[in-house]
Amino acid sequence: QVQLVQSGAEVKKPGASVKVSCNTSGYTFTSYYMHWVRQAPGQGLEWMGIINPSGGSTTYAQKFQGRVSMTRDTSTSTVYLELRSLRSEDTAVYYCVRDSSQHAFDMWGQGTVVTVSS
Amino acid sequence: QSALTQPASVSGSPGQSITISCTGTSSDVGAYNYVSWYQQHPGKAPKLMIYDVTNRPSGVSNRFSGSKSGNTASLTISGLQAEDEADYYCSSYTSSHSWVFGGGTKLTVL
């Protein structure tokens, strides 16, 4: 079955960077785009960007331009999210989410809690 | 890209029907039939309930249905059940080749 397994919780200081991984299995990794979506405590969902695992091309939400990188490793079927210059407002659960090929989010990782605190 | 507009909360009694609206613009909801809906229970990851405005993924109850008129999409849940109590989010693809979510609606089953 399709599985998206994310790395564990992180605690970071303001100004630091965080890198979250999402290891996939159960489907052809290069056939489906992958999104990253975050959810701050008690808040709604926020789209961060998308990566094409086949060629590595990316599109980022304007809000995160210059501060975010999404990469992939086809040998391990893993995608990565790196967010730099962290601030307290980046405290959130970060989800990797497969694109269904119908512009919808059909399979979600379990989420990674990132806490930014001094 | 501004968030889509959803009511903060809706409620209904078991067996009743409720509708959650999702209002965007001519650059997102009104531009494409790429509206989707998600159910999220506390502490859980969201679950896809509707895609492409009206389509249900395999395994989703036919009590859930979607529609769209102009810049507003809607999710209707018929025959409300206790387990439907959750947060619901809409999402749309946009003309900027990005995605946007609604602010979320808390459904309470009375």
Side-chain angles (χ1 to χ4, degrees):
Chain A
Q1 74 281 24
V2 175
Q3 286 193 306
L4 283 65
V5 179
Q6 299 183 220
S7 49
E10 303 263 12
V11 179
K12 297 292 183 181
K13 293 194 182 301
S17 299
V18 68
K19 192 168 186 176
V20 179
S21 67
C22 172
N23 180 254
T24 72
S25 60
Y27 70 97
T28 302
F29 176 68
T30 52
S31 294
Y32 294 83
Y33 285 58
M34 193 74 75
H35 302 264
W36 288 92
V37 173
R38 77 178 185 179
Q39 186 171 35
Q43 302 300 309
L45 302 170
E46 182 174 32
W47 183 79
M48 299 183 68
I50 185 172
I51 181 169
N52 177 356
S54 179
S57 61
T58 55
T59 299
Y60 302 135
Q62 190 170 7
K63 173 177 180 176
F64 301 102
Q65 292 270 6
R67 208 160 67 90
V68 69
S69 294
M70 296 176 189
T71 56
R72 94 291 188 217
D73 182 341
T74 55
S75 68
T76 60
S77 300
T78 300
V79 292
Y80 299 91
L81 168 74
E82 182 180 31
L83 189 61
R84 300 177 290 275
S85 302
L86 290 168
R87 34 217 191 219
S88 59
E89 309 90 87
D90 295 317
T91 294
V93 178
Y94 289 77
Y95 294 100
C96 59
V97 196
R98 193 181 75 166
D99 188 285
S100 67
S101 301
Q102 286 97 13
H103 298 80
F105 310 95
D106 71 340
M107 297 299 300
W108 294 66
Q110 85 275 21
T112 296
V113 176
V114 175
T115 302
V116 183
S117 174
S118 55
Chain B
Q1 188 74 43
S2 299
L4 307 175
T5 300
Q6 298 181 230
S9 62
V10 298
S11 62
S13 299
Q16 288 186 331
S17 294
I18 63 94
T19 296
I20 299 171
S21 61
C22 170
T23 301
T25 70
S26 57
S27 296
D28 39 62
V29 174
Y32 307 95
N33 287 325
Y34 294 142
V35 175
S36 50
W37 289 90
Y38 303 86
Q39 177 191 66
Q40 186 179 34
H41 287 111
K44 301 292 188 181
K47 174 187 176 183
L48 177 64
M49 305 301 285
I50 296 286
Y51 67 94
D52 290 354
V53 179
T54 62
N55 295 315
R56 278 187 313 276
S58 173
V60 172
S61 170
N62 60 9
R63 296 186 299 105
F64 292 82
S65 62
S67 63
K68 191 184 87 167
S69 178
N71 296 337
T72 298
S74 299
L75 172 72
T76 297
I77 309 173
S78 59
L80 266 181
Q81 299 179 1
E83 60 260 36
D84 298 333
E85 185 162 295
D87 294 327
Y88 291 84
Y89 295 91
C90 61
S91 176
S92 177
Y93 181 66
T94 83
S95 59
S96 303
H97 307 295
S98 62
W99 278 257
V100 62
F101 285 98
T105 297
K106 181 177 180 60
L107 169 62
T108 300
V109 180
L110 302 170

